[in-house]
């Protein structure tokens, strides 16, 4: 956290010194990276990994998520808790519900018109679409806080998010010309969205899907649906500890520094029990995700569309 605060201070200093300059877009990209790292810390606080006390973790997580990153901590907690309880389980895991991208063939088959066209090529479009994920995360979390239902910490979070954006937009439009300010926002949001999506996607996408009516024991459910990313310390720093996804799902309250040690025990136990333990490189995981999404996207094809005719048309 100290390193991130220093990095944030460096970006703010650079922003002030650069003034009216297109080099500000470098600051925008750096800010997107730093805010994603703060989101990783908020994620760890939500799992009670940072401090000893649960309420203290919630306070830190809420300040980091809402005040620093600008997204709702309560929304994230609700969504992420459901995911951990039933990873990759159809009808239970919110992370595989349709949201522009279809993660199941049933959802892909429902798409019509432009959405069907996107779905058919969604693997190739996945990373370009992530440039909009930052806006999506901010919008969905704020919309949740404005719903007419009980939300823990609603007014605290709305206040923190309001302060976040008042300071953010106020500084940009005060210091930069209008066009440059919008360019700054676009770059920062794009980097934030791509970094967030590229960090969370390798964890479960392309792994086994659990049918809605199936029941698995806790160990098998968590291991069979999760994928680790090799690389050790550099991967853990880059991905906020999400590279040890198997261990994180088995021991969600375990702090990041201990996951590497737990990995050796879990791998040995999986070998003993005959349960597949999945670990790939980061690049390989992206290839798996893209192929998987394209395969799912095939369900969006027109049932009267003849592949042989299309082949001759392309020729």
């Amino acid at each position: 956290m100290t390193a991130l605060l220093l990095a944030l201070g460096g970006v703010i200093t650079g922003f002030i010194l650069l003034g009216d300059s297109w080099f500000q877009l470098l600051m925008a990209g750096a800010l997107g990276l730093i805010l994603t790292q703060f989101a990783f810390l908020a994620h760890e606080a939500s799992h009670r990994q940072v401090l000893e006390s649960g309420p203290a973790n919630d306070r830190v997580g809420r300040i980091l998520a809402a005040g620093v990153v600008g997204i709702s901590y309560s929304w994230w907690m609700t969504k992420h808790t459901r995911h951990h309880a039933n990873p990759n389980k159809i009808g239970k895991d919110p992370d595989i519900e349709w949201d522009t991208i279809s993660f199941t063939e049933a959802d892909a088959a429902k798409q019509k018109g432009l959405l069907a066209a996107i779905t058919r090529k969604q693997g190739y479009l996945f990373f370009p679409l992530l440039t909009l994920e930052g806006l999506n995360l901010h919008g969905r979390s704020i919309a949740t806080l404005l719903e007419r239902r009980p939300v823990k910490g609603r007014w605290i979070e709305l206040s923190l998010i309001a302060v976040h954006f008042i300071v953010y937009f106020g500084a940009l439009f005060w210091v930069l010309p209008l066009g440059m300010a919008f360019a700054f926002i676009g770059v920062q949001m794009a980097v934030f969205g791509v970094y967030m999506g590229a960090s969370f996607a390798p964890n479960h996408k392309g792994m086994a899907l659990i049918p809605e009516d199936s029941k698995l024991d806790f160990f098998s459910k968590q291991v069979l649906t999760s994928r680790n990313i090799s690389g050790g310390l550099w991967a853990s720093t880059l991905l906020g500890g999400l590279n040890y996804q198997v261990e994180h799902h088995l021991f969600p309250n375990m702090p990041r520094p201990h996951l590497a040690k737990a990995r050796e025990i879990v791998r040995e136990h999986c070998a003993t029990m005959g349960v597949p333990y999945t670990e790939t490189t980061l690049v390989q995981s992206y290839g798996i995700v893209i192929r998987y999404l394209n395969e799912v996207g095939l369900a969006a094809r027109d049932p009267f569309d003849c592949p042989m005719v299309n082949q001759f048309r392309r020729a």
Side-chain angles (χ1 to χ4, degrees):
M1 189 175 294
T2 301
L4 288 179
L5 287 172
L6 289 172
L8 182 60
V11 167
I12 293 172
T13 302
F15 174 79
I16 295 170
L17 293 177
L18 283 171
D20 183 358
S21 168
W22 284 104
F23 283 108
Q24 289 283 13
L25 298 186
L26 296 177
M27 296 297 102
L31 183 60
L33 297 176
I34 292 168
L35 290 182
T36 305
Q37 285 285 335
F38 273 112
F40 292 155
L41 281 181
H43 165 250
E44 290 173 292
S46 74
H47 281 289
R48 311 295 191 261
Q49 295 177 16
V50 179
L51 303 173
E52 292 184 358
S53 161
N57 273 293
D58 281 336
R59 285 193 291 272
V60 169
R62 183 165 280 112
I63 291 169
L64 290 175
V68 179
V69 183
I71 61 176
S72 167
Y73 180 75
S74 296
W75 165 76
W76 171 260
M77 279 285 288
T78 302
K79 177 176 179 291
H80 200 59
T81 300
R82 289 174 56 205
H83 160 71
H84 266 268
N86 292 285
N88 272 19
K89 187 166 185 177
I90 297 171
K92 297 288 186 181
D93 184 359
D95 285 2
I96 59 172
E97 292 176 355
W98 180 84
D99 185 12
T100 306
I101 297 291
S102 296
F103 297 106
T104 66
E105 292 186 359
D107 284 336
K110 296 175 185 176
Q111 307 313 314
K112 305 294 182 184
L114 177 60
L115 287 175
I118 292 173
T119 302
R120 286 193 290 270
K121 301 294 183 182
Q122 63 179 6
Y124 300 124
L125 295 174
F126 180 64
F127 284 99
L129 287 171
L130 285 181
T131 58
L132 302 174
E133 181 62 10
L135 294 172
N136 183 45
L137 291 174
H138 288 297
R140 291 183 65 187
S141 66
I142 293 172
T144 300
L145 291 174
L146 297 176
E147 290 179 356
R148 292 185 176 180
R149 63 178 182 83
V151 179
K152 187 176 181 180
R154 182 199 306 271
W155 296 111
I156 295 175
E157 292 189 17
L158 282 173
S159 299
L160 287 170
I161 291 173
V163 170
H164 167 88
F165 282 113
I166 288 171
V167 172
Y168 178 72
F169 291 132
L172 289 180
F173 290 108
W174 179 268
V175 174
L176 303 180
L178 188 63
M180 192 179 295
F182 279 113
F184 188 104
I185 295 168
V187 171
Q188 185 266 303
M189 287 291 182
V191 171
F192 174 67
V194 171
Y195 192 7
M196 283 284 283
S199 298
F200 282 91
N203 303 340
H204 303 281
K205 303 301 181 283
M207 296 299 292
L209 290 179
I210 302 174
E212 190 171 1
D213 57 351
S214 295
K215 292 184 178 181
L216 286 177
D217 63 273
F218 175 81
F219 180 78
S220 299
K221 176 171 60 176
Q222 302 298 341
V223 174
L224 294 176
T225 60
S226 302
R227 178 191 298 113
N228 275 16
I229 302 300
S230 61
L233 182 60
W234 76 263
S236 189
T237 302
L238 178 68
L239 302 176
L242 297 173
N243 53 312
Y244 297 115
Q245 193 65 198
V246 174
E247 290 71 30
H248 173 58
H249 265 258
L250 289 173
F251 313 105
N253 301 127
M254 182 178 288
R256 189 193 308 186
H258 302 306
L259 294 174
K261 299 175 183 178
R263 170 181 172 273
E264 301 302 321
I265 300 171
V266 173
R267 281 171 61 94
E268 182 179 345
H269 185 67
C270 284
T272 301
M273 299 294 292
V275 177
Y277 181 100
T278 303
E279 183 174 280
T280 68
T281 67
L282 186 61
V283 174
Q284 287 173 334
S285 73
Y286 291 149
I288 293 169
V289 170
I290 290 170
R291 285 195 299 273
Y292 167 73
L293 292 177
N294 277 335
E295 288 172 3
V296 171
L298 294 176
R301 291 183 304 183
D302 187 334
F304 300 102
D305 197 15
C306 177
M308 184 176 293
V309 171
N310 284 337
Q311 183 177 359
F312 282 111
R313 284 175 179 168
R314 288 194 295 269

